[in-house]
Amino acid sequence: MRIKQIHRNIGISIEGINLSRIDNNTFQEIKELWMKHLIIVFPNQDISDEDHINFGKKFGELEVHPSLSHRSSKNPEIYRVSNVDEEGKIIPNKETSWQYLKQSWLWHTDSSFRKIPSNGSILHGISTTNEGGNTLFANMYKAYDDLEESMKQKIKNLKVVHDHDFIISLSDELSKRKNKGNYDKLDPVIHPLVRKHPSTKKKSLFLSPHTMVKIVDIDDSEGRELLDFLIEHSIQSKYVYKHIWNNNDIVMWDNRCTMHSVEPFDNNTIKRIMHRVTLVGDQQPMMA
Ligand code: OGA
Ligand code: MN
């Protein structure tokens, strides 16, 4: 394995391995490096969806995403992050399924709408672009650590309502439509604003702007102001790695201590196809 640092505060790349055939020692090593660096980029992984799924399953069970129109018809564990349908045609901009997916351009943490959110995600760039479409990842441990002591005190016991429907309400297009798309039913959930990672025991900010409706027991506008402050603080470039994709990059990230967003690209002309598997969480986020 050749390991390189890719940003001073977050992420490494690993070359010289093939994720479709790794032995147990290599797997253990990857797991440790992942906990330490939060995100790992694996370039040159020309592997099948089945190999992708098998690599994911080494970490545990895989999620099936609540949005029916983004599941791969062959493998329900593959979430198709794509503006191209399974026949290879670009999805028209106004189409509900694209309008939903476009919400990944906003900062978020995967599956924050679940009672037990995902542990991590593994994304395979199948057809990538550098004309936009880069993915940004923020180190939420470091964002938390650098807060002033008074802010840490202020937020330490706060809880946030997260709701899958909030993603839809943030879309100008979908919010005014009667048919907002086809999703599994999910009730709102409450998560701590500062969480403790079950493996590293470190504290981080738990933000997922696209599902965060409000802070519990705080006036709505005051809560919104506080969340906006924390979001702006966390997305400073010192905390953020920008991934510029090559085809067959695989990027994996820990959803318990990072958040991410996608930079806009011209979805009417550029085909961007990414396949994701999502690791089922093992426990509710712990208050720090
Ligand atoms: C995701 C996502 C990232 C990307 O897969 O969870 O938000 O680069 N998309 O498309
Ligand atoms: Mn995502």
Side-chain angles (χ1 to χ4, degrees), residues 6-11 39 107 135-140 142 231-243 259-261 263:
I6 52 179
H7 180 280
R8 70 185 189 282
N9 283 322
I10 178 170
I39 87 157
W107 282 95
T135 312
L136 307 173
F137 297 93
N139 181 339
M140 304 306 281
K142 185 99 178 88
I231 294 163
E232 283 309 309
H233 164 76
S234 303
I235 61 177
Q236 298 177 74
S237 59
K238 60 183 164 184
Y239 307 128
V240 174
Y241 165 67
K242 174 178 11 197
H243 188 63
M259 66 171 176
H260 59 277
S261 67
E263 289 182 332

Side-chain angles (χ1 to χ4, degrees), residues 56-207:
K57 280 185 175 163
K58 288 181 186 288
F59 296 87
E61 198 188 334
L62 302 181
E63 282 189 8
V64 174
H65 197 276
S67 173
L68 270 75
S69 47
H70 299 97
R71 288 178 201 162
S72 152
S73 55
K74 271 202 239 112
N75 302 99
E77 303 96 333
I78 295 279
Y79 177 56
R80 299 185 68 258
V81 186
S82 179
N83 65 323
V84 179
D85 66 20
E86 289 191 294
E87 278 74 52
K89 284 205 298 291
I90 290 192
I91 303 168
N93 184 56
K94 293 268 172 166
E95 197 100 339
T96 305
S97 65
W98 169 250
Q99 286 294 322
Y100 176 81
L101 202 69
K102 193 177 165 199
Q103 298 309 303
S104 61
W105 292 3
L106 304 172
W107 282 95
H108 66 279
T109 304
D110 295 333
S111 299
S112 53
F113 45 75
R114 293 189 195 275
K115 198 164 179 187
I116 300 186
S118 151
N119 278 358
S121 302
I122 306 173
L123 188 64
H124 184 190
I126 311 263
S127 171
T128 62
T129 175
N130 300 149
E131 296 170 57
N134 307 314
T135 312
L136 307 173
F137 297 93
N139 181 339
M140 304 306 281
Y141 291 135
K142 185 99 178 88
Y144 173 77
D145 287 344
D146 287 355
L147 290 173
E148 300 212 352
E149 201 46 48
S150 57
M151 179 56 80
K152 288 183 180 166
Q153 285 304 321
K154 178 171 171 174
I155 64 176
K156 74 174 184 198
N157 292 319
L158 296 181
K159 294 188 177 133
V160 179
V161 179
H162 292 253
D163 191 350
H164 181 259
D165 284 353
F166 197 65
I167 300 175
I168 295 156
S169 76
L170 289 175
S171 158
D172 291 341
E173 273 296 327
L174 294 185
S175 56
K176 54 183 192 231
R177 284 189 200 169
K178 203 152 178 208
N179 179 359
K180 299 177 194 301
N182 207 350
Y183 317 99
D184 294 340
K185 171 93 189 85
L186 289 157
D187 290 326
V189 295
I190 292 178
H191 294 310
L193 180 54
V194 182
R195 69 188 291 186
K196 185 171 161 184
H197 195 291
S199 306
T200 65
K201 312 292 180 211
K202 292 202 289 195
K203 293 181 188 184
S204 72
L205 281 172
F206 183 17
L207 300 178

